[in-house]
Amino acid sequence: MSTQGYEDELQSERDYVGGLYTRLDAERARVKAGYTAAVRGTGETAMERDVAVRARAREAKRLDVADNGLCFGRLDSVSGEPSYIGRIGLFDEDNGYEPVLLDWRAPAARAFYVATGARPENMRRRRQFHTRGRQLTGFTDEVFGRPGGDEGGDAALLAAVNAPRGEGMRDIVATIQGEQDEIIRHEHPGVLVIEGGPGTGKTVVALHRVAYLLYTQRERMERHGVLVVGPSPAFLHHIGRVLPSLGESDVVFMTPGDYVPGRHVTAEDTPEAARLKGSLKVLDVLAAAVADRQRLPEEPVSIQLRDVQVRIDAETAQWAREEARASGLPHNQARAVFTEIITYVLTERAIARIGRGWLTRDDRQEWESLRSGLLLELADDAKFTATLAELWPVLTPDFLLASLYESPERLRAAGADQAIWRVQGDAWTVSDVPLLDELVDLLGEDKPVDKTAERERRAEAEYAAKVLDTMTLDREEMDEDVLLAAKDLLYAEDLAERFVERDTRDLAERAAADRDWTYRHVVVDEAQELSEMDWRVLMRRCPNRSFTVVGDLAQRRSPAGATSWGAMLERYVPGRWVYRALTVNYRTPAEIMGIAAAVLAEFAPEVQPPDSVRACGVQPWSRRVTEHELPAAIEEFVRDEAGREGTSVVIGPPGVPGAVPPSETKGLEYDAVLVVDPERILADGPRGAAELYVALTRATQRLGVLHQGPLPPVLAGLKEAGSQAA
């Protein structure tokens, strides 16, 4: 194409994209008007208004995210028909709702991502737009079916991966690659495992798969939402903008320390304690710890009732305990069964003594009258109440688990390893959270649930709603009672809303606050770190077992984590999980990946490192410093990087000033990385080698290493430098 031809074509495309933005603005104005009307809605119930308001708000969010990069390309079929591909779909209402912009998730848009010179998918040309905000600045064409037709096809991809990193992960909606697209559109209804080495884009692919599923299965998924589980708050912050940028907001983000609402735990256990708590064997410990609280009296307990004395003996308590356990109810609910048996025995014994010589069972009325009085006495008897609390106490997960950890005797009684003992029982760690969640089900409610008030509230709300409906009728059709009610309800709508507790939180807020909420789909990132107990929690959260699992077994650092996907998943979804691998590294340049691959070969020689899609032309370097020189060398790196565009980080073991540990950088990426004291990181054995592998593969452009001792042989490929500038 000549220069003039390119400029003419560019102007034509600018006009078309400008027209798309005009449609977007008009659509946004229409939705805004609909939102305002829904808020002011009259003649509708409060619930109907809430539904309308929320629907308009979701639609407005979907349109708002489309402002930047609304249209990012065009497909021309062999028949000459062009299709424009974008972040959302737009239609021509005046022309039979013909699509003027295809949503990237639509089936017709798939060729934009998968067409190649060898397999053009019936397409003649792919055009990728370069934009800045709403401005179309240029385009790159890839023409299929001619020699060299694939040349330049990676231009948009290389521009994206070479661009400086900003705050947070970016979506890849404009540059999805073929192997990524196949996974994103995978329709498997069970568990899809996506494994890939560093930089293969497995996280962003999983998030785009969520957006795709929400697009194709909106009705099934939107009322329950999606849960995304990541390894750390920093990681969740890093990925948190991807789904909103794709127009999806009904998503809850949490770490394994957030499983229980209202609790945010980040502290970690020792490796041995984490291994023990993460194993399913701990279920026997928890069950035994609960059973240990269901006690029998060592000596009979005497209770004074009227003129007689009765005793709670071991035999009675044994019968009550067996019946309560056999009920299958959680501990706190089974307490009612235990109490019922105890009170039955005590009242029977008391009645038999009180009525000796004059009362028989044939006199049921007198017998039950005596029983009622005795039950009232027992309810007010402090000794009886205290005895029940000792034999079958009401328990909370926090109290039971904390008191278990603090007591070597209780640990022995529960068959637990003493390695989980600690002085402060409630100094919670991430490994404790699945146990606390498990105990919610084992123990049940810690107090009776009185639903009387709820029933009364609903009845009042229904009555108020009926009056509201009646107020819309012609007054001549109202009977006298209704007219009187209407006079009393001058502000009937206000009364109805007073009775109806309207939950104005959005879906994500409601789901995050509800431990019993179930999701339609769950994404688990860095899944190799999750323990058997973690998986047990997540399977409860998603009964239909629809998961996207993302991980890399070679990067596992947790002793309780997965050693194979089958060993972890077959228990829950036998035959219902599939495996897909990503093999291309889009993040780490070849120069850096060569260094990291040597570390990988040292601790996981059977694992093939991903192939880097690019080189950056900058060799990673190492520099030996003394303990005295180390702080200044770190400051030099930070100062140099502050003058560059992009992001940087210092990674090192505990004690290095200004450094973060490798574990906190999992899933993150930076333009420049400085790794400090690799010899100390490696000293942690196989786990340390995996940590160093993670640290080295965070960089997208530049990598430096500072070492105080001899450089570990596994890093021999680094260029020795006298300073960072070298």
Side-chain angles (χ1 to χ4, degrees), residues 46-47 50 457 460-462 464-465 495-503:
M47 181 177 295
D50 276 351
R457 186 194 66 76
E460 290 170 334
E462 290 173 2
L495 178 66
E497 294 193 4
R498 189 189 318 155
F499 287 132
V500 179
E501 295 178 9
R502 296 167 59 193
D503 191 341

Side-chain angles (χ1 to χ4, degrees), residues 358-532:
W358 64 272
L359 181 64
T360 68
R361 286 190 176 274
D362 292 336
D363 192 353
R364 298 305 304 169
Q365 184 174 356
E366 184 63 30
W367 195 284
E368 292 304 324
S369 176
L370 280 173
R371 186 191 301 281
S372 297
L374 292 170
L375 288 174
L376 291 174
E377 286 189 51
L378 284 174
D380 291 335
D381 190 281
K383 188 175 182 181
F384 177 71
T385 302
T387 301
L388 285 180
E390 181 180 348
L391 299 182
W392 198 289
V394 173
L395 298 172
T396 64
D398 291 51
F399 173 79
L400 179 71
L401 198 58
S403 57
L404 175 68
Y405 288 155
E406 292 173 354
S407 171
E409 293 77 17
R410 291 193 186 280
L411 287 172
R412 278 193 294 271
D417 194 300
Q418 293 293 322
I420 65 175
W421 173 87
R422 64 184 178 219
V423 174
Q424 185 180 346
D426 61 356
W428 303 121
T429 66
V430 174
S431 303
D432 293 325
V433 179
L435 279 61
L436 291 166
D437 187 77
E438 185 74 29
L439 285 169
V440 172
D441 286 345
L442 281 177
L443 298 177
E445 295 283 347
D446 60 359
K447 56 187 174 183
V449 180
D450 183 2
K451 297 188 177 180
T452 303
E454 172 68 13
R455 286 195 298 269
E456 292 176 351
R457 186 194 66 76
R458 288 185 179 179
E460 290 170 334
E462 290 173 2
Y463 172 71
K466 288 180 181 178
V467 173
L468 279 176
D469 291 340
T470 306
M471 294 287 283
T472 64
L473 299 174
D474 189 286
R475 290 177 61 88
E476 294 180 359
E477 298 179 14
M478 299 183 187
D479 59 31
E480 186 177 351
D481 290 338
V482 171
L483 281 171
L484 289 174
K487 290 179 181 179
D488 290 338
L489 298 174
L490 290 174
Y491 301 100
E493 183 174 345
D494 291 340
L495 178 66
E497 294 193 4
R498 189 189 318 155
F499 287 132
V500 179
E501 295 178 9
R502 296 167 59 193
D503 191 341
T504 59
R505 297 173 299 173
D506 62 28
L507 182 143
E509 291 173 318
R510 286 181 285 126
D514 186 353
R515 184 260 174 187
D516 294 322
W517 189 279
T518 57
Y519 299 89
R520 280 292 183 263
H521 192 76
V522 176
V523 175
V524 187
D525 210 321
E526 299 295 341
Q528 73 277 356
E529 306 296 344
L530 267 60
S531 69
E532 292 174 325

Side-chain angles (χ1 to χ4, degrees), residues 338-349:
F338 180 83
T339 301
E340 183 179 5
I341 298 295
I342 295 290
T343 54
Y344 172 79
V345 172
L346 295 187
T347 55
E348 283 290 303
R349 290 174 179 173

Side-chain angles (χ1 to χ4, degrees), residues 187-388:
E187 297 287 354
H188 183 68
V191 176
L192 173 62
V193 176
I194 307 172
E195 183 163 31
T200 53
K202 52 188 179 293
T203 296
V204 75
V205 165
L207 295 175
H208 282 67
R209 182 172 190 246
V210 169
Y212 174 76
L213 292 175
L214 285 167
Y215 175 81
T216 58
Q217 303 176 31
R218 177 77 60 189
E219 186 174 345
R220 185 180 73 86
M221 295 182 66
E222 70 177 354
R223 287 194 300 274
H224 289 259
V226 173
L227 172 64
V228 176
V229 179
S232 68
F235 174 83
L236 295 181
H237 176 73
H238 178 64
I239 70 170
R241 295 190 302 185
V242 173
L243 282 168
S245 77
L246 299 173
E248 304 300 346
S249 57
D250 291 338
V251 181
V252 175
F253 295 88
M254 66 173 61
T255 71
D258 305 325
Y259 291 151
V260 179
R263 193 182 303 280
H264 177 65
V265 180
T266 58
E268 291 193 9
D269 259 312
T270 64
E272 178 62 8
R275 183 186 66 81
L276 292 168
K277 294 176 184 179
S279 168
L280 290 180
K281 294 178 182 177
V282 80
L283 293 173
D284 293 333
V285 172
L286 297 180
V290 174
D292 185 52
R293 297 289 184 154
Q294 300 162 356
R295 313 298 292 270
L296 303 179
E298 296 180 1
E299 300 290 339
V301 179
S302 296
I303 305 294
Q304 187 68 38
L305 291 176
R306 295 196 182 180
D307 297 328
V308 299
Q309 193 174 70
V310 291
R311 299 191 310 171
I312 303 175
D313 52 33
E315 183 180 9
T316 299
Q318 174 73 20
W319 177 34
R321 184 169 71 176
E322 290 174 356
E323 290 293 324
R325 289 176 175 175
S327 70
L329 295 170
H331 169 86
N332 290 328
Q333 276 66 64
R335 187 176 191 267
V337 179
F338 180 83
T339 301
E340 183 179 5
I341 298 295
I342 295 290
T343 54
Y344 172 79
V345 172
L346 295 187
T347 55
E348 283 290 303
R349 290 174 179 173
I351 293 171
R353 294 177 186 176
I354 293 170
R356 183 175 295 147
W358 64 272
L359 181 64
T360 68
R361 286 190 176 274
D362 292 336
D363 192 353
R364 298 305 304 169
Q365 184 174 356
E366 184 63 30
W367 195 284
E368 292 304 324
S369 176
L370 280 173
R371 186 191 301 281
S372 297
L374 292 170
L375 288 174
L376 291 174
E377 286 189 51
L378 284 174
D380 291 335
D381 190 281
K383 188 175 182 181
F384 177 71
T385 302
T387 301
L388 285 180

Side-chain angles (χ1 to χ4, degrees), residues 157 179-180 197-201 582-587 610-613:
L157 171 65
E179 70 168 0
Q180 297 173 329
T200 53
L582 291 170
T583 59
V584 179
N585 189 330
Y586 301 98
R587 175 206 300 147
D611 296 323
S612 294
V613 76

Side-chain angles (χ1 to χ4, degrees), residues 51-65:
V51 170
V53 167
R54 287 178 176 174
R56 298 294 186 276
R58 281 196 300 270
E59 199 171 355
K61 285 183 181 179
R62 184 183 71 89
L63 296 173
D64 286 343
V65 301

